[in-house]
């Protein structure tokens, strides 16, 4: 039986949705969509506990403007249309109009907040699987996974005893730096591969005796590199992996008075560059007021070593190792910033497999 699915994070490209890729990748499943109304990168599993959580802005004609005005928090539903994801909002739930593909909920909250509200307030006892993503940017290695709002939403689902999968598309790797490959059309192939992996995991969810839900693996973290190999008939290799335990240093720089600072992309420093025409800001989003204080800092991480690490620094079978070699990775996780034992590196239908080890091929 197809699962009842909640999507709690959804990728955006050029401030717009790719509906055939982002929505239909779970076609045939009973899908609910509850997502943040604005970008929430590098927010981890944070919850909003002092704010009244409301929906997306009231007077919004497109999904793009919903995401570009995060400070207008009137409650609204959103009704996207195929094929570009543009649509309209409504204060109340209503029947679908011709061309609309579904009813979504946009909340002015973190990904983890959206997941919890969806599971317990909006659709109680109606969700079997939470898919967080696809996110436009890698969520591999300790440095990224511990900061990831995408994984944060999946962790939120786990703590409510729901199966969860975090799905991310990686833009950039050491071997030739695959930011330079032609990107057009690759999202469709990445979504197709993501669907196959998700279906395979759902049908054979792995075991973890210490899992918080019926002795199962708590969640999976999936990373798919955006590379031309996605177009090949055989597709990408997929491997069971562990997290590459790396580290980072300085993330912030002191703001120099009178000096123009480089803007960080909304989707995070590892996201693909956005064309200038897609960046929309309101006066309230233009940055903090000018001040003469010496204690003014801006987010300016140095991530080259994380995105383009030398091969010798990557343990065989780690998620960083897989991306370096332009392979997709599937990493079982526990909802406790820990990984389950080697027995989790297989599906339930593969019980009794010998030679379990990280780096083993994941077979569709």
């Amino acid at each position: 039986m197809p699962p009842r699915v909640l999507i709690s994070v959804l990728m955006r490209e050029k401030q717009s949705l790719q509906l055939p890729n982002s929505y239909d990748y779970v076609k045939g499943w009973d899908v609910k969509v509850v997502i943040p109304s604005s970008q929430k990168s590098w927010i981890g599993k944070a919850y909003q506990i002092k704010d009244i959580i409301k929906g997306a802005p009231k007077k919004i004609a497109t999904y793009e403007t919903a995401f570009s005005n995060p400070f207008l928090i009137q409650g609204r539903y959103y009704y996207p249309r195929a094929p570009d994801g543009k649509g309209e909002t409504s204060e109340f739930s209503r029947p679908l109009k011709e061309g609309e593909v579904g009813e979504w909920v946009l909340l002015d909250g973190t990904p983890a907040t959206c997941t919890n509200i969806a599971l317990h307030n909006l659709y109680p006892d109606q969700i079997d699987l939470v898919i967080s993503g696809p996110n436009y940017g890698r969520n591999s290695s300790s440095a990224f996974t511990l900061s990831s709002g995408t994984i944060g939403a999946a962790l939120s689902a786990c703590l409510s005893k729901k199966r969860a999968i975090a799905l991310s598309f990686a833009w950039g790797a050491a071997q030739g730096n695959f930011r330079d490959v032609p990107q057009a059309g690759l999202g469709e192939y990445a979504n197709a591969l993501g669907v196959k992996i998700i279906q395979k995991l759902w049908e054979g969810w792995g075991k973890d005796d210490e899992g918080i839900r019926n002795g199962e693996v708590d969640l999976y973290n999936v990373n798919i590199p955006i590379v031309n190999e996605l177009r090949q008939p055989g597709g990408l290799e997929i491997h069971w992996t562990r997290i590459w335990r790396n580290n980072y240093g300085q993330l912030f720089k002191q703001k120099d008075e009178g000096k123009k600072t480089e803007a960080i992309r909304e989707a995070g420093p590892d996201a693909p560059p956005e064309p200038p025409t897609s960046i929309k800001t309101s006066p309230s989003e233009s940055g903090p007021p000018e001040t003469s204080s010496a204690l003014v800092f801006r987010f300016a991480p140095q991530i080259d070593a994380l995105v383009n690490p030398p091969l010798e620094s990557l343990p065989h079978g780690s998620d960083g190792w897989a991306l370096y070699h332009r392979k997709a990775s599937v990493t079982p996780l526990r909802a406790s910033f820990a990984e389950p034992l080697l027995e989790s590196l297989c599906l339930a239908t593969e019980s009794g497999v010998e030679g379990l080890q990280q780096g083993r091929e994941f077979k569709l």
Side-chain angles (χ1 to χ4, degrees), residues 159-287:
L159 295 178
S160 291
K161 292 193 173 183
K162 299 295 181 181
R163 289 182 174 183
I165 299 171
L167 174 64
S168 301
F169 295 161
W171 293 73
Q175 196 174 34
N177 191 340
F178 56 71
R179 285 184 185 274
D180 59 359
V181 302
Q183 308 295 352
L186 288 178
E188 183 176 340
Y189 292 94
N191 273 301
L193 179 59
V195 138
K196 291 179 181 179
I197 294 173
I198 289 170
Q199 288 179 323
K200 191 76 173 181
L201 290 172
W202 170 256
E203 293 167 359
W205 204 271
K207 298 178 181 179
D208 178 12
D209 290 339
E210 297 185 21
I212 61 176
R213 184 191 57 255
N214 302 321
E216 293 185 334
V217 170
D218 290 345
L219 72 154
Y220 292 98
N221 183 34
V222 178
N223 281 274
I224 297 176
I226 302 299
V227 293
N228 281 323
E229 288 87 335
L230 284 165
R231 303 178 189 272
Q232 297 176 356
L236 292 181
E237 289 186 21
I238 312 165
H239 287 262
W240 291 103
T241 58
R242 296 294 201 183
I243 292 177
W244 171 35
R245 289 178 174 82
N246 60 352
N247 60 279
Y248 51 67
Q250 182 179 12
L251 295 179
F252 299 86
K253 289 184 178 179
Q254 192 164 15
K255 185 179 183 301
D256 296 329
E257 281 193 59
K259 184 177 180 180
K260 186 177 180 180
T261 58
E262 182 181 355
I264 296 295
R265 290 187 289 275
E266 273 192 294
D270 184 50
E274 297 175 344
T277 54
S278 75
I279 300 173
K280 302 179 178 69
T281 58
S282 65
S284 58
E285 296 178 87
S286 60

Side-chain angles (χ1 to χ4, degrees), residues 65-116:
T65 46
F67 272 100
S68 64
N69 293 281
F71 296 101
L72 305 176
I73 53 174
Q74 306 291 328
R76 288 297 180 269
Y77 293 86
Y78 182 71
Y79 297 89
R81 297 187 301 269
D84 58 8
K86 295 183 179 180
E88 63 183 38
T89 58
S90 173
E91 184 175 357
F92 302 102
S93 177
R94 61 163 175 76
L96 297 182
K97 298 178 181 179
E98 183 177 357
E100 293 176 342
V101 299
E103 177 185 83
W104 298 4
V105 176
L106 308 184
L107 294 178
D108 185 34
T110 65
T113 300
C114 291
T115 297
N116 190 270

Side-chain angles (χ1 to χ4, degrees), residues 311-328:
L311 177 59
E312 57 269 20
S313 70
L314 300 171
H316 177 86
S318 67
D319 50 10
W321 165 87
L323 293 178
Y324 181 99
H325 290 290
R326 305 164 85 92
K327 308 173 190 294

